[in-house]
Amino acid sequence: MGLINYGVALLLFTLAFTYLPRLFSPKLKPHIDGYFHPMYRKVADTLRDNAESGKEQGAAFSVYHRGEVVVDMWAGYADEEAGRQWSRDTMSVVFSVTKGVAAVTVARMVDMGWLDYKKPVAHYWPGFAQNGKGEITVEQLLGHQGGLVSLGANKTSLREYRDNQEAFTRRLEEVTPLWEPGTAHGYHAITYGFYLDTLVRMADPKHRNMTQIFREEIAEPFGIDFHIGLPKSLSHRVARVHFMSDIALIISSMKSWDLFHFFASVALYPESLSAKAMTVLETKNTALNDPEERSIGQSAFLGIGTARSVAKLYSYMAMGGSFKGRQLLKPETWKLITSSLKTAQDLVITTLVAEWGRGVGFRVLPHSKYKGQKVIGNAGYGGQVGYFDPVNQLSVVYITNHASPHGLWDDPRFLDLEAALYDCLEHTIEGKHP
């Protein structure tokens, strides 16, 4: 009984330590601003309701339909302590939504003839072939099939990756896959960026890194306000990210078995693939509020931009790769990136049956009117979501600086907005106000 009483006391103390300060902290005035097309008023009302109730504390939501902005709104605070409100130009870390932006960058390289999805990674990066990796193709690497979710027992850091590139590349080359490549997939939460960024640097004719390739081939020519490696001169625009403590994360995840199972596996079973995939970095989450860390390009999770920027990029994807005479991707490449590679139980997020393509995931819409239709993109840690819907010609992006336990398209704040959006879309198509 003593152990049970101790456990209960610890739980109560943790809850009090985590949540009581919020009850007594001064309440900031709700803040909501931005643009919405009159046909999408319900989306604006939903964001306003969530902000006024306290459910939404800092976020932006942007939607393009048929290549045009229909919603571009924001709410809450970019920095609560400083009283800095979220604004039109506020950027935030989008975590794994970055993976989809990187996948589009790779597709652009395929268009240029610099990469071929079907060729082995070792064709471009010979040292990669060590320890059973010689047959891993570019599309298998993108599709989380390589078995390379961990770098081994010793953790690493973003600065080690940046400052010791040659040694770090050798470390990547020495890794042995944790399953037979191509036979299954498991979410490469962190290592996706290390391997993909090294591959593109090897394959690019000028040996530019991902930061440079994205900026020069996509961001600048298409006017996309997004960065994989943020110049420190832009740090004043970035929202401060608020993270939950490990204990608070586990407690909060108890409302969902899938969430609790995943976080408990990471915390309690260090030999599990879940733990190995999620504990690659020794860096604490809060370090991502450091401009120095944010300046390091890493295409698994360290993209920084506005919701509007990703929605604008994905608006081209929603329209088949081109819009108004501007071509992001050739039709044949667009068809490849929007095609699925494998649907199977994920070996890292073990409660998830995942469908992966060439760097992007596929999700069936949960709304009855659109039953069976799939959207394409990535969800990210803390509730971030970015996708395009080719059937309805939509691009949809939600970013927040208040990280929740959610990261699989399942954050209630996003789901509220998405439900309102598709309700408005239905009425828009019918020509009636919702």
Side-chain angles (χ1 to χ4, degrees), residues 96-116:
S96 286
V97 171
T98 314
K99 290 180 172 74
V101 176
V104 173
T105 307
V106 169
R108 182 91 166 158
M109 294 180 71
V110 171
D111 258 6
M112 301 287 191
W114 302 336
L115 278 170
D116 185 326

Side-chain angles (χ1 to χ4, degrees), residues 313-345:
L313 174 64
Y314 277 175
S315 71
Y316 285 90
M317 300 301 292
M319 299 297 289
S322 300
F323 180 65
K324 289 186 176 179
R326 299 217 59 200
Q327 186 177 78
L328 175 67
L329 296 178
K330 296 175 183 176
E332 56 270 27
T333 308
W334 181 87
K335 186 174 181 181
L336 286 170
I337 196 175
T338 57
S339 299
S340 174
L341 289 174
K342 185 185 285 290
T343 303
Q345 195 80 29

Side-chain angles (χ1 to χ4, degrees), residues 58-69:
F61 187 62
S62 189
V63 180
Y64 279 65
H65 183 222
R66 296 174 179 165
E68 304 291 346
V69 180

